[in-house]
Amino acid sequence: MSFLLPVGITSYQAELPKVFSSNSIGCLSAIPTSINGRRWINICGIFGYIGKQNASEVVLAGLKRLEYRGYDSWGIAILADQIKINKKVGAIGDLNQALNLPKSSIGVGHTRWATHGGVTDINAHPHFSTDKSFCLAQNGIVENYQKLKDDLLKKGYKFQTETDTEVIVRLIEEKLKKTRDLKEAVRQAFLELSGRNTVIILTKYGRIIAARNGSPLVVGVNNKEIFFSSDTLSFAPFADKIVVIDNGQMVYYNGKLNVIDIKSGKSLPYRLEKIDFHSSKVDKEGYDHFMLKEIHESPYVINQIVNRAESQFENFIKAVKQAKNVYTIGSGTAGVAASQIAFYLRVFAKIKAQSVIGADIFEYYDLLSKDDLIIAPSQSGETADVLEVLEIAKKRKVKIASLVNMPGSTMTRMSDFRFMSFAGPEICVMSTKVFTSQIAWGYLLGKVISGKGKVGRENLKILSQEMERYLDAQSNHELIKKLAKRLGKSKDIFLLGKYQNFNIIKEGMIKIIEGSYIHAHGIPAGDLKHYAITLMEKGVPVVVVVSEDVAKGDVLNAVNQVKARGATVIGISSTSHPSFDHYIPVPNTGETQAIMNIIPLQLLAYYMAVELGHNVDKPRNIAKSVTVKYYN
Ligand code: GLU
């Protein structure tokens, strides 16, 4: 089995002066969290390229690497003798489509998730200015687009599309009437937009201008080329340094990279950060799907946690111990990881940690104060639900620690304590290895705080070996494949677990729902008798996770109750029990058992998705980098 090298960022003092303090979060806190109850949605991507390679090919490759973020249409614009645009609904095209465009050394691209205007070729981005002197693509939503559009219509502007994005284009044209400088017109127009928007513009004079207020924007640099993108991963193999553009900043290249403060129009010095990019190879390496490859990388990510985390723990541990309240917060799978991190803090470190999910709108409880500490695990570091809470927390001087996988993220930049998962790129929309790394980190944190860091590290090393052995044994896959086939025919699937395994069955539930689109329901074993027992009848599948811990007796008790009502019990455990109809054996790894137990559940979801013929790496209706808020 081969593994990717880790992604890592090290601070690099560039030839250019440094300005940002490491805690700088730019204008982030100035952004309203909601306007009239309307929230943002942005899960698409932008990409730009300037360099000697053929721009359309580079941009197309970049868009493909942004695909995981979700999209419904895409477009590329390049500059030849004039700007040429190729945009389409549906899957990102192959190289032939890129080659339809003339050769060029500069281009931009966009993956769109429609919010205003149908999913049509014409509504896809980029959008031309009336005189075709520039074109623009947007990530995000112009909240006040209707008012702006009405004003522009009165002034005689014509609109070709139904998008909010075209409003930005016409507004820039309007501003251009007074200032003949396009970047100044972009700046002025940007100041009038509300909502979260990040734009990229290609001009017929061979420039790219990009501005950020919400959706991520990163610039990649190597000796000869410049990349603009929504994430670092998309240009990973080609650039070795990045500049993270903060909210309220714009950037353009005219032979030299320039960063500008949008509000004042003043130039800002910026900092280049060096990235270890060996890591960023993004291919399936012989596996049928990224999901399976990424599950197989779990033992490796556990070792990364063992090797890297503790050296950075020292000051952080002091802060955790001193904090009045410790909250862990995350969304989706990271929300489950947050809950398991809190569990480990309670169990091993005796810290009264409490977990909250990002979507709970925690800030409205008005509980946060300066002596508190938040721990936020996130794959992307851009999850809007969590960022909202962190923005408020930051204002209140709450200490923030983040555990992020994607380099250069907003969450990392706004954190007092920055931890990286070092799990390498996770391409499958369903998170597997990053979840495993997050909970392994939580386990180690709990152990280190309790003064048993050495034991914790040893246990994780053993876990990593056991997990690798488990994953390498074909018989484990065959068994789970067979069960996946059966479960794929179910209407509902129940999961039971308690104590260390409660979050594990919750995560198993999420994986099954994502992969199979079948209803799954994770129940704390002790709660079964209070309500869900009504649903138990002949043949109902119940997946139960039983470990050699204090909860074992209770869980087996619950198993007997469902069994008595005819349920078909699938047991995940290091020992078989008579009430299991099907048994999935796992190695006994002691304190780290919960981390081991997630693997068969992830495999079950994987094989169900394959069995049902689903798009494994991109389940329907969900996207990976969920900078999604609800929108109405
Ligand atoms: N709101 C824009 C539209 O509907 C852009 C959405 C996006 O892709 O971020 O065109």
Side-chain angles (χ1 to χ4, degrees), residues 203-451:
T203 80
K204 74 169 183 189
Y205 305 106
R207 281 197 195 172
I208 288 180
I209 303 169
R212 170 179 175 165
N213 191 24
S215 310
L217 177 62
V218 193
V219 179
V221 187
N222 67 29
N223 287 341
K224 302 183 199 95
E225 296 165 302
I226 309 279
F227 304 84
F228 301 75
S229 180
S230 304
D231 76 22
T232 313
L233 186 59
S234 59
F235 53 69
F238 315 114
D240 53 8
K241 288 171 210 138
I242 57 167
V243 179
V244 181
I245 308 302
D246 275 322
N247 286 313
Q249 296 179 350
M250 55 190 280
V251 56
Y252 69 95
Y253 184 77
N254 57 356
K256 178 177 161 287
L257 201 65
N258 300 275
V259 179
I260 292 176
D261 176 61
I262 296 178
K263 210 165 173 189
S264 66
K266 288 201 177 114
S267 260
L268 293 170
Y270 55 86
R271 193 172 66 149
L272 289 172
E273 290 173 87
K274 195 166 187 213
I275 306 186
D276 168 7
F277 272 141
H278 317 277
S279 53
S280 303
K281 207 160 75 182
V282 179
D283 65 54
K284 293 186 203 133
E285 297 183 338
Y287 290 97
D288 288 343
H289 300 96
F290 281 111
M291 184 176 183
L292 189 59
K293 170 186 168 241
E294 287 160 7
I295 295 172
H296 272 90
E297 286 170 353
S298 304
Y300 163 77
V301 306
I302 291 171
N303 279 333
Q304 287 297 312
I305 294 299
V306 175
N307 297 337
R308 302 219 187 197
E310 204 179 338
S311 56
Q312 312 163 2
F313 272 162
E314 222 170 273
N315 289 334
F316 175 51
I317 285 167
K318 271 189 220 141
V320 176
K321 282 183 175 162
Q322 279 164 12
K324 193 158 145 236
N325 299 293
V326 175
Y327 299 104
T328 63
I329 179 163
S331 284
T333 286
V336 181
S339 183
Q340 188 72 355
I341 293 169
F343 169 83
Y344 286 133
L345 284 175
R346 292 194 299 268
V347 167
F348 296 118
K350 304 296 166 208
I351 303 257
K352 292 181 203 133
Q354 198 182 325
S355 65
V356 197
I357 59 161
D360 198 18
I361 328 185
F362 182 50
E363 63 269 31
Y364 291 125
Y365 298 148
D366 202 16
L367 287 173
L368 294 168
S369 69
K370 75 170 186 11
D371 299 324
D372 296 341
L373 182 137
I374 291 182
I375 299 173
S378 169
Q379 195 288 128
S380 65
E382 303 291 346
T383 315
D385 281 332
V386 177
L387 282 176
E388 267 186 40
V389 179
L390 298 187
E391 285 165 17
I392 306 281
K394 192 87 196 160
K395 277 192 199 153
R396 297 193 177 182
K397 304 206 164 21
V398 172
K399 291 257 176 314
I400 298 171
S402 58
L403 174 63
V404 175
N405 194 45
M406 185 76 77
S409 73
T410 307
M411 226 177 262
T412 302
R413 291 167 70 75
M414 66 195 297
S415 298
D416 303 284
F417 302 99
R418 299 143 178 226
F419 297 94
M420 299 297 292
S421 300
F422 296 114
E426 189 178 64
I427 303 302
C428 177
V429 169
M430 292 187 256
S431 178
T432 54
K433 65 174 176 174
V434 171
F435 174 78
T436 307
S437 75
Q438 288 164 340
I439 61 173
W441 180 89
Y443 167 76
L444 187 59
L445 178 64
K447 293 301 281 183
V448 172
I449 295 179
S450 70

Side-chain angles (χ1 to χ4, degrees), residues 41-46 70-73 110-118 123-125 127 137-142 161-166 196 198 215:
I41 171 167
N42 45 65
I43 50 178
C44 37
I46 55 173
Y71 67 97
D72 50 41
S73 43
H110 182 257
T111 51
R112 176 177 187 232
W113 185 271
T115 64
H116 293 66
N123 284 343
H125 307 199
H127 297 287
Q138 183 212 183
N139 272 183
I141 292 170
V142 182
T161 77
E162 303 134 12
T163 65
D164 53 335
T165 308
E166 197 184 355
R196 292 198 172 204
T198 291
S215 310

Side-chain angles (χ1 to χ4, degrees), residues 426-487:
E426 189 178 64
I427 303 302
C428 177
V429 169
M430 292 187 256
S431 178
T432 54
K433 65 174 176 174
V434 171
F435 174 78
T436 307
S437 75
Q438 288 164 340
I439 61 173
W441 180 89
Y443 167 76
L444 187 59
L445 178 64
K447 293 301 281 183
V448 172
I449 295 179
S450 70
K452 305 245 168 68
K454 194 158 174 258
V455 179
R457 272 201 310 274
E458 284 310 312
N459 287 345
L460 284 177
K461 276 189 207 154
I462 294 167
L463 169 70
S464 165
Q465 287 158 9
E466 291 288 351
M467 199 181 271
E468 182 158 0
R469 222 170 284 141
Y470 179 87
L471 281 163
D472 282 349
Q474 201 45 37
S475 55
N476 290 325
H477 292 262
E478 293 308 324
L479 171 70
I480 293 176
K481 231 187 259 179
K482 245 202 270 154
L483 290 167
K485 204 169 180 159
R486 280 181 78 120
L487 286 176

Side-chain angles (χ1 to χ4, degrees), residues 16-34:
L16 296 148
K18 167 185 164 180
V19 261
F20 296 122
S21 79
S22 53
N23 287 335
S24 163
I25 57 161
C27 300
L28 203 60
S29 54
I31 296 166
T33 52
S34 107

Side-chain angles (χ1 to χ4, degrees), residues 537-552:
E537 53 190 24
K538 194 166 177 345
V540 167
V542 178
V543 179
V544 60
V545 182
V546 193
S547 295
E548 300 301 313
D549 60 23
V550 287
K552 183 177 173 183

